[in-house]
Amino acid sequence: FHLVPMQIPSILPDISSLVLYHGFLYFQTSFIIHLRRFNLLELCLRRMTFYSVNDLRRMLDALPTLQRLSIVGAQWHGAEPDHPFPRKPWPRSRVRLNGLGIHSLHQQWAMDVRTIHFFDWLSDSGAVSEVEELNLYGLMLVEDSVVTMVNMMLLSARKSPKLDRLWLNFGPNPNL
């Protein structure tokens, strides 16, 4: 997908919504620079494989006009780290989402420390401070870490004065 941000803004300068389906996302500095040329309002990442939490975070911060984010069926590249990430204060995000949907199709993704770290960033960076709609699907509450992750997200979203739609599904994926 490295060619996507380099080509699409010049071909379709007014594109406001982008869906990326099946692929790997990892970022170099030049990719982030080209990504900033987008004026995306909506980004949907379906069945994408992410290389790192920082890549995902940097990508979102490079899209300051982004309002809606949907992540469906994500995976992480490589084995889960043996140790949890240190919890630290995050710098404020430039992104202020008004809609966030995260649909986990695999419980292993939800329990992975990288996913928990990503939720930590979303919760603490201000990215969901103006959220109007939050949709969390398929995050089975079978591990304390997942319960904590979802609780942090809900506490952060609760601070949004605009939140009026909340969709939660903590059951197993019916497609298993």
Side-chain angles (χ1 to χ4, degrees), residues 56-122:
L56 187 53
R57 181 185 58 78
R58 287 175 55 217
M59 179 193 65
L60 295 176
D61 267 345
L63 299 168
T65 59
L66 189 65
Q67 295 177 6
R68 300 189 63 77
L69 174 64
S70 176
I71 299 175
V72 179
Q75 296 181 35
W76 294 106
H77 177 71
E80 180 177 2
D82 292 335
H83 58 285
F85 290 96
R87 183 139 168 48
K88 60 183 175 186
W90 290 101
R92 299 295 290 172
S93 175
R94 298 176 354 170
V95 174
R96 293 295 176 265
L97 298 172
N98 63 31
L100 174 63
I102 298 179
H103 302 241
S104 174
L105 301 180
H106 307 285
Q107 187 59 23
Q108 289 76 17
W109 182 81
M111 294 186 306
D112 192 297
V113 296
R114 293 168 286 192
T115 303
I116 294 165
H117 198 56
F118 177 62
F119 267 66
D120 188 31
W121 174 76
L122 282 171

Side-chain angles (χ1 to χ4, degrees), residues 35-51:
L35 194 62
R36 288 184 181 141
R37 294 172 48 206
F38 276 109
N39 287 314
L40 286 181
L41 299 177
E42 183 174 14
L43 177 62
C44 180
L45 304 172
R46 292 187 177 272
R47 297 188 181 266
M48 299 299 293
T49 299
F50 306 123
Y51 273 77

Side-chain angles (χ1 to χ4, degrees), residues 109-167:
W109 182 81
M111 294 186 306
D112 192 297
V113 296
R114 293 168 286 192
T115 303
I116 294 165
H117 198 56
F118 177 62
F119 267 66
D120 188 31
W121 174 76
L122 282 171
S123 299
D124 285 354
S125 69
V128 295
S129 63
E130 297 177 16
V131 72
E132 296 171 18
E133 181 176 341
L134 179 62
N135 182 339
L136 302 177
Y137 179 87
L139 301 171
M140 291 176 46
L141 303 178
V142 296
E143 296 271 333
D144 287 343
S145 59
V146 178
V147 172
T148 300
M149 171 180 82
V150 169
N151 189 45
M152 284 176 16
M153 179 66 70
L154 293 175
L155 288 172
S156 183
R158 178 177 82 174
K159 296 175 186 174
S160 170
K162 300 175 183 179
L163 181 65
D164 70 346
R165 289 181 301 280
L166 179 63
W167 299 76

